[in-house]
Amino acid sequence: ACGKNFWKRALTLLLLAGLFVNQALFVGIYATLRLPVALGLMSTDDYHARTPTLQGAAYFVCGYITERLKPGEHYLSALGIWMEPTYYCPQMATHLGFSKDTVRDWLWDKPRHLVDFIQFMDLAEKSNIRFVVAPTGGENRRNDSGEAVPVAIDLSGTRLGPFFAPALDGLPPVFAEKYFAVYDGAEVMGRLRVLLQSGDYPKDSR
């Protein structure tokens, strides 16, 4: 009996040791990526420029918007499914009237406040849109080789992306980084007004 208990304890300790080593390696690898910038040995700009990610943090486009956005101006964001901003982008400046129920969508399983294209345009016209920021691509490393595979971006997967995605087609950005671009809000709104007048706009509510 004592011999069996010994081997059980030994096996348990061996499994725990394996798990500890596995987690230590995981933490260690990420520490080597993050400690230099956390300790001030690398600038934030260099960190975001050199550290590999799947889609990036939109750090540079957010900086561009933050530096130029004036009080009372807003921007449209397609950086997340619910049109939410990322950590580095201005937070309240993207909360237009049509996104007032976004937090409810995140936290509760209740019917969403739907918006159609005409309502979207009415709210956007009142919001003084200075910029539109959207993803332009990404990468996938979940494959046998671990090599980065380019991934196309489809804005139809975001809440209001289909409403303004047609206005971005062929429009040169005012600023861009690897996976994201910033577009001039006045140019985007001008294209959307043409779309509204033509009647050839998305008819669904989102």
Side-chain angles (χ1 to χ4, degrees):
C2 292
K4 290 183 178 179
N5 290 335
F6 170 80
W7 287 111
K8 286 182 179 179
R9 285 194 294 269
L11 180 60
T12 300
L13 290 173
L14 183 63
L15 290 173
L16 290 174
L19 291 173
F20 175 81
V21 171
N22 181 66
Q23 288 301 305
L25 289 172
F26 177 82
V27 172
I29 290 172
Y30 277 89
T32 58
L33 293 175
R34 291 174 169 80
L35 277 179
V37 67
L39 297 175
L41 303 176
M42 178 189 297
S43 71
T44 305
D45 287 3
D46 287 342
Y47 173 78
H48 282 284
R50 294 166 52 182
T51 304
T53 61
L54 295 182
Q55 276 79 36
Y59 175 77
F60 295 103
V61 296
C62 288
Y64 181 90
I65 291 172
T66 301
E67 291 175 2
R68 291 162 177 79
L69 205 64
K70 298 176 181 178
E73 294 178 335
H74 293 81
Y75 70 99
L76 287 174
S77 168
L79 298 180
I81 294 175
W82 301 112
M83 317 300 293
E84 71 275 14
T86 70
Y87 174 81
Y88 294 104
C89 277
Q91 302 296 304
M92 295 307 297
T94 189
H95 290 178
L96 311 185
F98 49 73
S99 60
K100 62 183 179 181
D101 292 335
T102 301
V103 174
R104 181 179 297 275
D105 289 336
W106 292 343
L107 300 179
W108 295 299
D109 185 19
K110 292 185 178 181
R112 184 192 310 162
H113 174 70
L114 296 178
V115 177
D116 61 24
F117 184 81
I118 296 176
Q119 292 170 310
F120 163 76
M121 283 297 297
D122 181 58
L123 289 164
E125 292 282 13
K126 296 175 181 177
S127 299
N128 193 13
I129 303 297
R130 175 77 185 278
F131 298 114
V132 176
V133 57
T136 56
E139 63 183 38
N140 181 10
R141 295 176 182 268
R142 296 175 180 174
N143 51 58
D144 292 338
S145 66
E147 296 292 329
V149 177
V151 176
I153 293 297
D154 181 7
L155 291 181
S156 65
T158 63
R159 181 181 178 187
L160 300 174
F163 287 168
F164 62 82
L168 304 184
D169 188 24
L171 182 67
V174 295
F175 181 81
E177 59 174 283
K178 187 174 182 181
Y179 298 126
F180 308 96
V182 180
Y183 302 88
D184 181 76
E187 292 186 8
V188 174
M189 290 301 298
R191 290 187 170 201
L192 289 176
R193 293 185 192 104
V194 172
L195 192 64
L196 179 64
Q197 293 172 0
S198 71
D200 188 24
Y201 53 80
K203 302 301 191 295
D204 59 328
S205 296
R206 303 183 66 82

